[in-house]
């Protein structure tokens, strides 16, 4: 039997995708519109690459301010901006759409319209929210009636309120969207608002978007970059936690050698991973709402039917956002299926260092993690060695 994860994208499908992408790569997207009151000004069209802004094209505007840019469509969501001097309009592109932008200089950064892209409208909302936050912070800093500590506390409160709003209404709501990626890199001055290098909760935010991009845009460079940022944040946090917890409460040590999972199954019964000691467990993290889920579930059924009588159990953790949908999808499954209401922002993503969904692990009869999927070339041999 081949490695389970390889079943998700059969060779024939990959070949079709590659051929399709090659054909589509010649297609173009279009950015057009007008910036009034900018006669003789140069409008730059820039790609916001991972290494910084790169000028793609430019035009000197006339009295009408009309412009039109066209470039090859990207393979995954990509970010661009229109700029005149320090006035910037942020945009995202993920297909062959035509996006129309209209504004006036010198207020184009805050007063413009965009048509043809839901993501660009969401990015506009986020940009305006960020500007409003900056104005709030400046007002607090300029309030001479506040002392040093009160100023810091007030700024922290408005920033935390902002982060909760962005997490709830943008990032966690639609982590696969370009607007959610954009939100991760908003800043106050030279400091990221979501800072995974210094904030444990912010690591989860980056991990949620990274995992979602793995599902919707596999192998995208930006998704890989998000993972690297999240992993570096986890590493830093472990160092901090280690230094802060040199004395460990013996009552909290898990003698089973595994990080336990305690969640309700699709019948409402609480199921503990550690209760499966004595069995070989395929611990699976899955999202049923993805297009590749049915084929993968069929493969899991083959594995379960082949080895269950010999002592194999599957403990499957669903990270789907919709509980009712999950229950429908798992009603006929013979193995243990539990649901984490936190979805892709679950603490389990950090605890088990999960960088992509789906991901699975093998756990031996002593409740010790054996290997994760990318460490196994032959799933059959690995299971047989543990039974």
């Amino acid at each position: 039997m081949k490695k389970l994860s390889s079943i998700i994208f059969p060779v024939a499908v990959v070949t079709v995708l590659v051929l399709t992408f090659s054909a589509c790569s010649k297609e173009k997207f279009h950015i057009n519109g007008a910036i009034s009151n900018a006669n003789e000004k140069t409008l730059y069209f820039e790609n916001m690459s991972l290494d910084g802004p790169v000028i793609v094209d430019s035009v000197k505007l006339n009295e009408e301010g009309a412009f039109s840019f066209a470039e090859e469509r990207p393979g995954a969501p990509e970010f661009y901006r229109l700029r005149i001097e320090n006035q910037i309009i942020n945009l995202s592109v993920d297909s062959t759409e035509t996006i129309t932008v209209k504004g006036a200089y010198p207020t184009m950064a805050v007063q413009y319209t965009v048509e043809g892209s839901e993501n660009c409208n969401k990015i506009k909302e986020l940009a305006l929210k960020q500007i409003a936050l900056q104005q709030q912070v400046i007002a607090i800093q300029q309030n001479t009636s506040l002392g040093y500590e009160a100023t810091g506390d007030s700024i922290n409160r408005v920033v935390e309120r902002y982060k909760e709003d962005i997490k709830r209404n943008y990032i966690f709501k639609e982590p696969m969207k370009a607007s959610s990626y954009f939100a991760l890199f908003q800043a106050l001055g030279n400091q990221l608002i979501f800072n995974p290098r210094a904030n444990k909760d912010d690591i989860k935010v980056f991990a949620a978007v990274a995992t979602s991009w793995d599902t919707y845009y596999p192998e995208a460079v930006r998704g890989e970059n998000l993972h690297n940022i999240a992993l570096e944040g986890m590493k830093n946090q472990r160092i901090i936690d280690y230094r802060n917890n040199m004395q460990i409460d013996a009552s909290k040590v898990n003698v089973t050698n595994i990080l336990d999972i305690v969640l309700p199954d699709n019948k409402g019964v609480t199921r503990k991973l550690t209760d499966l000691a004595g069995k070989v467990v395929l611990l699976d993290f899955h999202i049923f709402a993805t297009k590749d889920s049915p084929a993968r579930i069929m493969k899991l059924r083959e594995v379960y039917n082949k080895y269950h009588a010999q002592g194999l159990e599957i403990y499957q953790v669903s990270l789907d956002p919709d509980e009712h949908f999950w229950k429908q999808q798992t009603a006929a499954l013979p193995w243990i299926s539990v649901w984490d209401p936190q979805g892709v922002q679950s603490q389990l993503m950090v605890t088990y260092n999960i960088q992509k969904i789906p991901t699975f692990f093998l756990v031996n009869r002593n409740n010790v993690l054996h290997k994760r999927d990318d460490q196994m070339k032959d799933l059959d041999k690995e299971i047989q060695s543990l039974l």
Side-chain angles (χ1 to χ4, degrees), residues 312-360:
L312 176 76
E313 185 57 82
I314 295 178
Y315 186 101
Q316 187 170 53
V317 181
S318 166
L319 301 173
D320 286 87
D322 188 331
E323 182 183 10
H324 179 68
F325 175 80
W326 159 70
K327 285 184 176 180
Q328 287 183 319
Q329 296 299 307
T330 59
L333 296 182
W335 56 77
I336 298 170
S337 181
V338 299
W339 180 68
D340 191 329
Q342 293 183 317
V344 293
Q345 63 264 28
S346 168
Q347 178 62 37
L348 294 174
M349 298 290 294
V350 178
T351 302
Y352 277 84
N353 192 17
I354 297 172
Q355 303 175 36
K356 60 183 175 64
I357 297 294
T359 285
F360 70 90

Side-chain angles (χ1 to χ4, degrees), residues 258-271:
I258 195 170
L259 299 161
D260 203 4
I261 300 175
V262 183
L263 290 169
D265 67 12
N266 49 9
K267 298 178 178 61
V269 179
T270 298
R271 307 301 293 263

Side-chain angles (χ1 to χ4, degrees), residues 136-156:
Q136 279 185 285
V137 170
I138 290 172
I140 293 171
Q141 291 172 331
Q142 293 177 343
N143 187 345
T144 56
S145 66
L146 295 175
Y148 177 78
E149 290 187 5
T151 297
D153 289 342
S154 297
I155 291 174
N156 287 337

Side-chain angles (χ1 to χ4, degrees), residues 213-357:
W213 275 53
D214 269 346
T215 301
Y216 288 89
Y217 317 110
E219 300 183 7
V221 175
R222 288 187 181 274
E224 181 180 351
N225 182 57
L226 288 181
H227 275 307
N228 291 338
I229 292 172
L231 290 172
E232 183 64 25
M234 293 176 197
K235 177 181 176 182
N236 292 342
Q237 193 61 50
R238 289 190 188 106
I239 293 173
I240 294 171
D241 289 344
Y242 175 77
R243 290 173 178 171
N244 292 339
N245 296 283
M246 295 300 288
Q247 295 292 331
I248 300 175
D249 184 350
S251 66
K252 295 181 180 180
V253 174
N254 191 337
V255 296
T256 64
N257 298 311
I258 195 170
L259 299 161
D260 203 4
I261 300 175
V262 183
L263 290 169
D265 67 12
N266 49 9
K267 298 178 178 61
V269 179
T270 298
R271 307 301 293 263
K272 297 178 64 176
L273 178 60
T274 52
D275 285 345
L276 299 177
K279 294 181 178 290
V280 173
V281 180
L282 193 156
L283 170 60
D284 185 56
F285 292 86
H286 189 77
I287 295 177
F288 286 88
T290 60
K291 63 180 181 180
D292 300 299
S293 175
R296 190 167 184 279
I297 292 300
M298 288 180 64
K299 191 62 185 177
L300 283 173
R301 278 186 178 274
E302 291 179 16
V303 172
Y304 184 86
N305 292 338
K306 189 173 183 179
Y307 295 111
H308 178 64
Q310 300 176 48
L312 176 76
E313 185 57 82
I314 295 178
Y315 186 101
Q316 187 170 53
V317 181
S318 166
L319 301 173
D320 286 87
D322 188 331
E323 182 183 10
H324 179 68
F325 175 80
W326 159 70
K327 285 184 176 180
Q328 287 183 319
Q329 296 299 307
T330 59
L333 296 182
W335 56 77
I336 298 170
S337 181
V338 299
W339 180 68
D340 191 329
Q342 293 183 317
V344 293
Q345 63 264 28
S346 168
Q347 178 62 37
L348 294 174
M349 298 290 294
V350 178
T351 302
Y352 277 84
N353 192 17
I354 297 172
Q355 303 175 36
K356 60 183 175 64
I357 297 294

